[in-house]
């Protein structure tokens, strides 16, 4: 095997589950959610977050994949959402943030089994 493949193969294999289409639903949060004043109650009332948190709890955990718009505003939005998820009981180690092109005005959340 080529040396570069030997070193890079484990990294490719680790990322491979993220590239596969998931059987799990993808929950969408639109930017208008973030224009409203937020507290834990209003966020848990948001159908996308309520569904994600229910699935997370029912499974006893998992990895939350948080796809957000690229750029500083997208990173800030994702960082705040991650903080809220942690406050609502999801360990930060279970949250993976991914910047995605074509994500303007929304974020997507999905739940994957822990590796």
């Amino acid at each position: 095997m080529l040396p570069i493949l030997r070193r890079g193969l484990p990294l490719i294999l680790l990322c491979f589950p993220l590239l596969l289409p998931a059987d799990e639903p993808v929950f969408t949060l639109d930017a208008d959610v973030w224009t409203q004043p937020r507290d834990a109650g209003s966020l848990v009332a948001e159908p996308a977050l309520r569904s994600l948190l229910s699935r997370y709890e029912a499974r006893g955990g998992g990895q939350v994949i948080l796809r957000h718009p690229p750029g500083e505003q997208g990173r800030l939005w994702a960082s705040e959402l991650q903080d809220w998820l942690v406050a609502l009981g999801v360990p930060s180690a279970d949250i993976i943030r991914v910047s995605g092109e074509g994500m303007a005005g929304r974020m997507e959340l999905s739940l994957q089994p822990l590796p």
Side-chain angles (χ1 to χ4, degrees), residues 51-71:
S51 297
L52 177 84
L53 291 170
S54 293
R55 284 180 176 278
Y56 183 86
E57 187 176 317
R59 286 188 170 183
Q63 285 187 320
V64 175
I65 310 300
L66 193 164
R67 291 189 65 226
H68 61 86

Side-chain angles (χ1 to χ4, degrees), residues 62-87:
Q63 285 187 320
V64 175
I65 310 300
L66 193 164
R67 291 189 65 226
H68 61 86
E72 183 176 357
Q73 185 172 0
R75 286 189 303 274
L76 289 172
W77 187 12
S79 179
E80 184 180 349
L81 180 55
Q82 180 175 356
D83 290 345
W84 277 111
L85 289 170
V86 169

Side-chain angles (χ1 to χ4, degrees), residues 21-45:
D23 293 324
E24 289 298 318
V26 174
F27 304 101
T28 302
L29 275 178
D30 291 320
D32 62 343
V33 171
W34 246 242
T35 62
Q36 309 296 321
R38 293 172 295 287
D39 61 22
S42 66
L43 287 174
V44 171

